[in-house]
């Protein structure tokens, strides 16, 4: 279980950030609607709220043998700033 | 969007002719060119006021159509032409003039009337509608010379223009989007919504973006961006996008497909073994990442850098392919350390610990955790666990090698290569149970475990484990006084703990035996009184043990009546003379008072008494184990007798057989253990795992294959019955006799059980028992095949030959005769190695090398 990934927090997240992320995830996956997901979220939170277990998670979170594609897994392509010109061209109705 | 031409009301009083109706129908259908041509013909023929009005209507429809097609110049020329030809229609064409001015960017012309004090409300509304729906050039509006600089429209347009440039050029703060210059009633209000929608789009807040877009009036000029932005946010649009909208969508919305494909390819090249291909794929991936996802470039470089380091690629070449070295920060070092610690190479494991130490320093600097926080302590423990993966003799070598290379470096500089230093640091920062437990477990493998337990007990006095450990250690040294002091502490911590409850009886018994050993029967007697006062000493067979001790004390005091009384009491309690004698004999041996009790020889025992030997032996062994926690030294003749009696004695239960078997294993008496296992295997399937394990333990070591098969069968059965105790012991035997592992299917397990049950005789060289060669997968290496007498081809030998480096190492260590050239020594060594491999005798080797027969009697 990668608790950091499940809660979507960085390895060096503070206790407050972890709690905030947990509450947000519970709102997204309430136990009555998705009990299994809630269980995972709860387990991840239990791991991260214990400083020692959190530390262990932190050390083990890095995996150099993970496929490189996982670097962008679940990521949305970043939106590029292209300046006003292409936008204005659309406004001109061309 | 320009509204479709509305059908005009009746122009003539007379009913409309069919031609007029047709022309109006064409206008209504949007066919303005055909309508205009027909209207021209109709007016040429009629030349009436009505036909002129209809012609002007057709012109107006045509001008609108041209404006809709963005043909502003053509529309304006036609408008001017109609104005000149039909001056009376000028008022009716005013709206089209505003529309044309707005579309053509002639904002001065459009806005000038706003300064006219006589401008009607309708005219103002028309101008504002044109500004809202037609003007797309905010810069022109902001710079409109027809209005004063402080005019609200100019100020709003300027603010919007600045905001539009900002949101399309980079991230903006929320304050930049408040735009107080643009009121919600302004004709430019839709632009404010558009600017906010664009800001939300770049922030990835798609829901908010959609809400802003939905709030824009569909006719507004700003609404022209809605289809493009919907497409960019992944929403399906109605109808095709304009070329400009497609271009915008392509430029702003990134596509990860190319990057994903490059990373996939790089992963695949890592699986291969071609550095050139890897570095080429690295270059492509870095380029794609830099273009498509620049925020990930540092992480990618770190990942690639570590992966390349793990496969030993040249650092300079990798750095060049990456376009510069990867950023060295805590994240990088953690990745590197994780990679290194997964290796089996002792040196790489040591490097991993060095990397973890560097990670710790960076992580503290970067604010991941505090230098003395529990995370740091956990990291020290993790590093210690990594060091434990290094085989014992390698770690000192690595440390010495590093310290000799790094002149001036101290042990403290390389603390991360010393498990004890890591544990010390961890426990100093965060002295918790698991940390000390881990430290003690490590220390038990070498020296210093007591020191660790003492440190643990000092810092956490209420933890039971160090106290129990110290108690056991001191008891083993026969320092019973100290052991009893630790027991007092343990009883205060957790008096109900099973180990604590059993300990007092055991320690006191041990103390009695020690006093007897030291020839201090009076002290032994005192301790015995203490034992007798314990309620648990009166349970089961324990009173018999007390009587036996009393027997020995009396013997030490030369108290003959006491001896007689104690002997009678022991025999009475055990209801067996043989058992009583064995018990006293065992206790006498433990207390090194062997002369106190001389056992009868087995031949002096009557046949009926002999049948009692196995049961007596089992009972005494169990009792001594219970009270003293140690194994009994038993006379060989009695063990032989027990081994012979077991097959004839069906009254023994599984517990007795188990005890007898274990006693046989401890005493190295395979026949007894074997006989117990044979009888045990007949007792039913529930006890099969433990008696198969006993069979594996009982077999002589030269029957390694049979031992391994019995242990493997015990493993399978124990797993099925969830018998952890048997499982662990059987796995250990399996590991010793079949390091490569051996697993049996259920059919094979049944076969093993059946054959072992049938083989009741202890194996001899002549009859070694069942043959399990069919169940064992044999090693196919040349050496093993040769041992089995199978053919080995010459080319298969290559890998086994000593390489130059190994040869040099061996020659360095050998003391060669002073006149022997190293080349000759190397050749001789090689030949000797071949001789060992092939099983060649020394004489044959001598003859092969020298060409002479070796003289007899000179062999050493």
């Amino acid at each position: 279980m990668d608790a950091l990934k499940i809660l979507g927090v960085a390895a060096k997240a503070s206790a407050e950030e972890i709690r905030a992320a947990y509450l947000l995830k519970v709102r997204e996956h309430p136990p009555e609607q998705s009990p299994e997901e809630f269980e995972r979220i709860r387990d991840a939170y239990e791991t991260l709220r214990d400083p020692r277990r959190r530390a262990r998670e932190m050390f083990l979170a890095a995996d150099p043998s993970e496929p490189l594609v996982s670097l962008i897994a679940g990521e949305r392509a970043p939106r590029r700033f292209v300046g006003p010109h292409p936008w204005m061209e659309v406004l001109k109705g061309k | 969007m320009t509204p479709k031409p509305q059908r005009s009301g009746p122009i003539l009083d007379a009913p409309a002719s069919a031609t007029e109706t047709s022309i109006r129908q064409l206008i209504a259908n949007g066919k303005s060119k055909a309508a205009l041509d027909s209207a021209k013909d109709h007016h040429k023929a009629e030349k009436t006021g009505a036909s002129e009005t209809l012609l002007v209507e057709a012109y107006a429809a045509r001008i609108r159509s041209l404006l809709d097609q963005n043909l502003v110049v053509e529309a304006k020329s036609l408008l001017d032409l109609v104005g000149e030809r039909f001056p009376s229609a000028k008022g009716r064409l005013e709206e089209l003039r505003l529309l044309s001015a707005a579309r053509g960017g002639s904002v001065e012309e459009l806005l000038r009337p706003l300064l006219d004090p006589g401008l009607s409300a309708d005219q103002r509304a028309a101008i504002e509608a044109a500004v809202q729906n037609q003007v797309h050039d905010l810069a022109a509006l902001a710079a409109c010379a027809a209005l004063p600089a402080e005019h609200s429209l100019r100020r709003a347009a300027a603010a919007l223009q600045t905001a539009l440039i900002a949101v399309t050029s980079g991230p903006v703060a929320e304050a930049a989007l408040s735009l107080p210059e643009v009121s919600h009633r302004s004709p430019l209000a839709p632009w404010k919504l558009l600017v906010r929608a664009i800001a939300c789009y770049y922030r990835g807040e798609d829901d908010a973006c959609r809400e802003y877009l939905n709030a824009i009036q569909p006719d507004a000029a700003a609404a022209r961006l809605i289809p493009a932005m919907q497409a960019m946010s992944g929403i399906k649009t109605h109808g095709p996008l304009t070329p400009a909208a497609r271009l915008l969508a392509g430029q702003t919305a990134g596509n990860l497909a190319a990057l994903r494909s490059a990373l996939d390819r790089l992963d695949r090249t890592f699986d291969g073994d071609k550095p050139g291909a890897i570095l080429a794929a690295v270059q492509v991936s870095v380029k794609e990442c830099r273009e498509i996802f620049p925020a990930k470039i540092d992480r990618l470089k770190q990942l690639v850098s570590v992966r390349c380091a793990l496969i030993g690629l040249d650092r300079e070449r990798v750095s060049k392919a990456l376009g510069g070295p990867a950023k060295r920060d805590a994240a990088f070092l953690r990745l590197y350390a994780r990679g290194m610690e997964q290796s089996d190479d002792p040196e790489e494991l040591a490097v991993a610990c060095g990397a973890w130490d560097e990670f710790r320093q960076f992580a503290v600097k970067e604010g991941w955790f505090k230098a003395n926080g529990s995370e740091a302590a956990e990291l020290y423990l993790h590093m210690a666990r990594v060091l434990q993966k290094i085989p014992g003799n390698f770690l000192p070598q690595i440390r010495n090698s590093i310290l000799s290379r790094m002149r001036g470096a101290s042990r403290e500089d390389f603390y991360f290569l010393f498990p004890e230093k890591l544990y010390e640091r961890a426990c100093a920062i965060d002295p918790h149970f698991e940390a000390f437990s881990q430290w003690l477990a490590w220390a038990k493998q070498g020296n210093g475990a007591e020191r660790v337990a003492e440190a643990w007990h000092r810092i956490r006095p209420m933890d039971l484990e160090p106290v129990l450990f110290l108690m056991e250690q001191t008891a083993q040294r026969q320092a019973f006084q100290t052991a009893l002091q630790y027991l007092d502490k343990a009883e205060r911590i957790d008096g109900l703990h099973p180990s604590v409850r059993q300990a007092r009886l055991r320690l006191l018994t041990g103390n009695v035996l020690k006093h007897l050993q030291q020839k201090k029967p009076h002290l032994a007697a005192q301790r015995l009184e203490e034992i007798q006062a314990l309620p648990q000493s009166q349970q089961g067979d324990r009173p018999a043990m007390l009587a036996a001790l009393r027997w020995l004390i009396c013997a030490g005091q030369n108290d003959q009546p006491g001896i007689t009384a104690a002997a009678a009491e022991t025999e009475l309690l055990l209801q067996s003379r043989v058992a009583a004698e064995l018990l006293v004999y065992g206790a006498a041996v433990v207390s090194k008072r062997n002369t106190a009790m001389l056992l009868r020889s087995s031949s002096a025992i009557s046949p009926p008494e002999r049948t009692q030997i196995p049961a007596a032996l089992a009972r005494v062994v169990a009792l001594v184990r219970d009270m003293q926690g140690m194994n009994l030294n038993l006379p060989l003749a009695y063990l032989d007798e027990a081994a012979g009696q077991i097959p004839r004695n069906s009254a023994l239960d599984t517990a007795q057989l188990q005890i007898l078997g274990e006693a046989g294993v401890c005493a190295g008496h395979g026949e007894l253990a074997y006989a117990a296992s044979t009888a045990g295997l007949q007792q039913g399937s529930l006890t099969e795992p433990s008696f198969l394990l006993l069979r594996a333990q009982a077999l002589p070591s030269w029957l390694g294959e049979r031992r391994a098969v019995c242990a493997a069968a015990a493993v399978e059965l124990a797993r099925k019955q969830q018998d952890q105790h048997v499982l662990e012991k059987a796995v250990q035997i399996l590991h010793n006799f079949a390091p490569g592992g051996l697993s049996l299917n259920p059919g094979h397990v049944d076969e093993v059980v059946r054959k072992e049950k049938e083989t009741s005789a202890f194996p001899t060289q002549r009859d070694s028992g069942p043959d399990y060669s069919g169940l064992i997968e044999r090693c196919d290496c040349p050496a093993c095949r040769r041992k089995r007498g199978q053919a080995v081809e010459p080319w298969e030998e290559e890998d086994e030959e000593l390489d130059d480096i190994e040869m040099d190492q061996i020659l360095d260590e050998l003391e060669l005769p002073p006149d022997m050239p190293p080349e000759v020594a190397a050749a001789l060594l090689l030949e000797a190695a071949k001789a060992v491999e092939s099983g060649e005798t020394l004489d044959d080797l001598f003859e092969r090398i020298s060409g002479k027969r070796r003289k007899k009697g000179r062999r050493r």
Side-chain angles (χ1 to χ4, degrees):
Chain A
M1 180 186 69
D2 189 342
L4 294 168
K5 268 189 190 165
I6 291 171
L7 290 193
V9 291
K12 56 179 180 178
S14 66
E16 293 76 30
E17 285 169 330
I18 289 167
R19 183 165 168 74
Y22 166 65
L23 294 175
L24 190 72
K25 287 278 173 189
V26 169
R27 270 201 293 276
E28 282 173 18
H29 305 279
E32 61 275 13
Q33 280 178 21
S34 40
E36 282 179 14
E37 187 59 25
F38 173 76
E39 196 70 23
R40 260 162 47 87
I41 293 165
R42 181 79 204 166
D43 285 350
Y45 180 56
E46 288 299 329
T47 300
L48 296 183
R49 70 190 294 195
D50 175 347
R52 293 184 196 117
R53 287 172 71 187
R54 186 169 74 223
R56 259 170 264 157
E57 273 299 305
M58 181 204 290
F59 307 143
L60 303 181
D63 180 7
S65 57
E66 208 175 24
L68 291 168
V69 171
S70 64
L71 188 71
I72 52 170
E75 294 276 4
R76 195 166 45 187
R79 291 163 178 181
R80 283 185 291 243
F81 291 101
V82 290
H85 182 71
W87 296 85
M88 300 307 291
E89 289 299 301
V90 181
L91 286 164
K92 277 182 196 170
K94 287 188 179 174
Chain B
M1 189 188 285
T2 309
K4 284 194 174 177
Q6 297 293 309
R7 189 177 181 136
S8 305
I11 300 168
L12 302 171
D13 292 333
S17 69
T19 310
E20 287 168 0
T21 309
S22 159
I23 292 167
R24 287 207 165 84
Q25 192 59 48
L26 285 169
I27 292 170
N29 290 345
K31 295 181 175 171
S32 62
K33 192 167 186 305
L36 182 58
D37 290 343
S38 297
K40 279 178 186 172
D41 291 343
H42 178 63
H43 183 57
K44 201 184 258 180
E46 298 289 325
K47 290 203 169 101
T48 62
S51 67
E52 184 186 308
T53 307
L54 187 59
L55 179 59
V56 170
E57 265 183 61
Y59 269 120
R62 182 64 189 147
I63 291 164
R64 275 181 210 281
S65 168
L66 290 171
L67 286 172
D68 282 347
Q69 294 169 57
N70 241 4
L71 299 168
V72 181
V73 177
E74 289 83 348
K76 196 162 184 316
S77 304
L78 196 57
L79 189 61
D80 291 344
L81 181 82
V82 177
E84 278 172 24
R85 279 198 195 161
F86 308 103
S88 59
K90 213 170 181 179
R92 277 185 280 160
L93 297 172
E94 182 58 21
E95 189 197 339
L96 284 175
R97 192 189 60 74
L98 290 174
L99 202 61
S100 163
R103 282 281 175 92
S106 307
V107 286
E108 276 87 359
E109 192 184 338
L110 174 67
L111 301 180
R112 194 171 294 115
L114 288 176
L115 295 178
D116 181 0
L119 186 70
S120 69
D122 286 348
Q123 286 171 316
R124 179 175 292 276
I127 291 171
E128 287 183 351
V131 169
Q132 179 176 298
N133 299 340
Q134 306 301 333
V135 174
H136 60 79
D137 190 349
L138 290 172
L141 200 56
C144 176
L147 298 177
E150 70 278 6
H151 193 278
S152 61
L153 260 181
R154 279 188 66 180
R155 287 177 56 231
L160 285 166
Q161 171 73 1
T162 307
L164 189 65
I165 291 171
V167 291
T168 55
S169 303
V172 287
E174 196 58 39
L177 303 174
S178 63
L179 295 166
E181 301 87 348
V182 189
S183 78
H184 72 280
R185 296 179 65 183
S186 164
L188 297 179
W191 287 90
K192 191 168 168 176
L193 297 168
L194 177 66
V195 166
R196 289 181 179 174
I198 295 172
C200 289
Y201 167 74
Y202 275 120
R203 285 183 197 146
E205 297 164 359
D206 286 352
D207 289 345
C209 173
R210 201 175 305 122
E211 280 177 30
Y212 280 123
L213 290 178
N214 288 342
I216 297 173
Q217 293 93 322
D219 291 340
R224 290 176 204 165
L225 264 168
I226 290 176
M229 289 190 70
Q230 283 175 335
M232 283 147 58
S233 303
I235 302 167
K236 205 171 177 185
T237 54
H238 304 291
L241 294 178
T242 64
R246 278 203 301 277
L247 189 65
L248 175 68
Q251 285 178 326
T252 55
N255 185 354
L256 291 179
L259 177 57
R260 193 171 287 120
S261 157
L263 294 176
D264 260 337
R265 205 173 316 120
L266 178 55
D267 259 328
R268 285 199 300 276
T269 57
F270 270 120
D271 292 339
D273 191 23
K274 294 176 181 167
I278 293 172
L279 294 174
V282 166
Q283 277 181 325
V284 173
S285 297
V286 168
K287 181 175 165 286
E288 292 290 353
C289 187
R290 214 184 285 282
E291 281 174 12
I292 297 167
F293 214 149
K296 294 281 181 185
I297 191 71
D298 280 346
R299 189 70 184 146
L300 175 65
K301 284 171 74 171
Q302 290 180 333
L303 271 167
V304 170
S305 189
V306 169
R307 292 274 283 270
C308 290
L310 292 177
I311 57 169
L313 283 188
D314 179 66
R315 197 188 298 176
E316 288 298 316
R317 288 178 70 194
V318 173
S319 178
K320 199 174 165 189
L322 288 171
K327 190 178 174 190
R328 198 174 178 84
D329 58 8
F332 170 78
L333 287 158
R334 181 181 59 164
L335 201 62
Y336 182 59
R338 286 282 292 144
M340 282 293 168
E341 75 179 25
Q342 281 159 24
S343 165
D344 292 327
D345 184 312
E347 285 191 10
E348 288 186 358
L349 292 170
V351 170
C353 285
W356 276 124
D357 177 55
E358 215 178 330
F359 160 75
R360 182 186 60 81
Q361 295 172 37
F362 272 88
V364 169
K365 268 187 215 158
E366 291 172 23
W368 289 43
F369 51 78
K370 290 178 185 163
N372 55 356
S374 58
E375 293 89 349
E378 203 57 44
L379 182 57
Y380 289 131
L381 291 178
H382 181 75
M383 289 156 79
R385 282 193 288 270
V386 173
L387 283 187
Q388 282 186 55
K389 286 164 69 181
I390 300 179
N393 51 340
F394 276 104
L395 190 55
Q397 282 178 27
I398 292 169
R399 281 197 295 246
N400 292 340
S401 162
I402 290 174
L403 286 169
S404 62
R405 268 183 280 153
M406 309 286 283
R407 284 183 187 169
S410 71
R411 286 162 64 95
E412 203 50 45
D413 294 335
F414 290 94
Y415 77 94
F416 50 82
L417 295 178
F418 295 84
E420 66 273 23
K421 289 185 186 294
L422 290 166
Y423 285 123
E424 269 172 25
R425 285 183 178 220
C427 292
I429 294 173
D430 189 6
H432 63 99
F433 179 88
E434 286 84 6
F436 275 114
S437 182
Q438 199 179 318
W439 188 4
L440 185 59
W442 171 79
K444 280 178 185 173
Q445 296 165 13
N447 298 324
E450 273 192 57
R451 191 181 60 81
V452 174
E454 280 164 6
W456 182 354
H457 179 53
R458 205 167 37 249
I459 294 170
R460 294 177 61 91
M462 293 312 287
D463 281 353
L464 184 62
E465 281 66 18
V467 181
L468 286 179
F469 177 74
L470 289 166
M471 184 183 79
E472 293 301 332
Q473 291 301 108
T474 45
Q476 271 180 26
R477 289 202 307 270
Q478 295 207 332
F480 289 104
Q481 217 43 44
T482 317
L484 284 165
Q485 284 171 6
Y486 280 120
L487 178 60
D488 289 341
K489 286 183 182 178
E491 282 174 339
R492 282 199 294 275
I493 296 167
D494 184 359
L496 297 175
H497 192 282
S499 302
V500 178
R501 290 175 67 180
Q502 289 166 8
R504 187 162 289 279
L505 190 61
R506 195 163 49 78
L507 290 180
L508 287 172
T509 309
N511 207 356
V512 169
L513 293 169
K514 187 190 171 191
H515 286 317
L516 286 170
Q517 197 180 327
Q518 292 173 337
K519 299 181 183 171
K520 293 175 182 169
H522 62 289
L523 294 178
Q526 284 174 17
R527 283 293 186 213
L528 187 61
E529 278 176 30
E530 284 180 48
I531 298 174
Q532 280 173 319
L534 295 174
Q536 61 265 40
S537 70
Q538 303 306 317
Q539 294 166 356
D541 279 346
R542 287 170 183 170
M545 183 69 179
L546 303 190
L549 291 175
R550 199 172 306 113
W551 181 340
L552 291 173
I553 290 168
C554 292
Q557 292 170 332
N558 288 321
D559 175 4
Q560 202 55 46
I563 293 173
T564 310
E569 188 186 355
T570 312
E571 193 175 327
L572 182 71
L573 287 166
L574 292 175
Q575 295 190 331
S576 160
R577 185 181 168 196
V578 177
E581 286 171 354
L582 275 171
L583 179 59
V584 178
Y585 173 81
V589 171
V590 172
S591 60
K592 297 186 179 170
R593 307 283 296 163
N594 303 31
T595 52
M597 171 68 200
L598 295 173
L599 270 182
R600 290 177 286 166
S601 74
S602 55
S603 57
I605 301 172
S606 66
E609 264 190 312
R610 279 189 208 172
T611 59
Q612 295 174 11
I613 286 181
L617 207 55
R619 196 170 180 185
V620 169
V621 169
L623 180 56
V624 173
R625 266 194 208 170
D626 170 46
M627 289 207 45
Q628 225 277 313
M630 61 189 294
N631 290 306
L632 207 56
N633 280 326
L634 295 164
L636 187 62
Y638 278 69
L639 297 177
D640 288 340
E641 187 60 40
Q645 288 289 343
I646 287 174
R648 295 194 286 273
N649 190 337
S650 59
L652 293 167
D653 60 26
T654 51
Q656 286 172 312
L657 289 169
Q658 194 68 45
I659 289 170
L660 286 170
E662 286 168 10
V665 171
C666 286
H669 200 284
E671 288 85 348
L672 176 59
Y674 193 93
S677 71
T678 304
L681 282 170
Q682 307 299 334
Q683 303 269 334
S685 60
L686 269 179
T687 52
E688 277 170 1
S690 56
F691 285 106
L692 264 181
L693 168 67
L694 190 58
R695 173 61 56 92
Q697 292 169 316
L699 287 168
S701 57
W702 53 269
L703 277 176
E705 198 169 88
R706 191 173 159 198
R707 273 189 131 174
V709 169
C710 286
V715 165
E716 297 302 330
L717 292 172
R719 196 172 282 149
K720 211 167 156 186
Q721 295 185 12
Q722 298 183 340
D723 188 336
Q724 197 61 27
H725 177 73
V726 171
L727 185 64
E728 282 172 14
K729 286 192 164 184
V731 165
Q732 187 59 44
I733 293 176
L734 197 56
H735 180 74
N736 291 340
F737 287 90
L742 172 63
S743 62
L744 303 177
N745 63 34
H748 289 153
V749 172
D750 290 345
E751 183 188 336
V752 173
V753 173
R754 182 178 51 76
K755 284 185 175 175
E756 291 300 329
K757 277 182 180 174
E758 288 167 2
T759 317
S760 58
F762 188 71
T764 58
Q765 292 285 358
R766 196 177 297 169
D767 179 11
S768 60
D771 175 17
Y772 295 121
S773 54
L775 303 183
I776 293 185
E777 259 185 45
R778 288 162 183 255
C779 174
D780 213 30
C781 78
C784 295
R785 278 165 45 211
R786 197 183 299 109
K787 274 183 193 167
R788 294 197 296 269
Q790 293 172 341
V792 178
E793 302 298 338
W795 61 82
E796 293 181 286
E797 305 276 14
E798 279 176 17
D799 289 342
E800 299 199 333
E801 286 186 359
L802 295 169
D803 64 24
D804 290 345
I805 298 168
E806 285 171 330
M807 181 68 82
D808 289 345
Q809 281 173 350
I810 294 168
L811 289 174
D812 284 347
E813 287 165 14
L814 282 178
E815 210 173 295
L816 297 176
D819 54 347
M820 182 182 280
E823 295 79 17
V824 175
L828 280 172
L829 191 61
L830 208 58
E831 291 305 320
K834 282 181 186 170
V836 171
E837 284 286 319
S838 61
E840 193 177 26
T841 65
L842 195 60
D843 285 341
D844 291 343
L845 170 66
F846 183 77
E847 188 180 350
R848 185 161 57 80
I849 294 173
S850 65
K852 296 174 187 171
R853 195 76 207 152
R854 206 158 171 252
K855 286 181 184 174
K856 281 188 178 175
R858 294 188 64 191
R859 182 178 294 170
R860 283 187 184 173

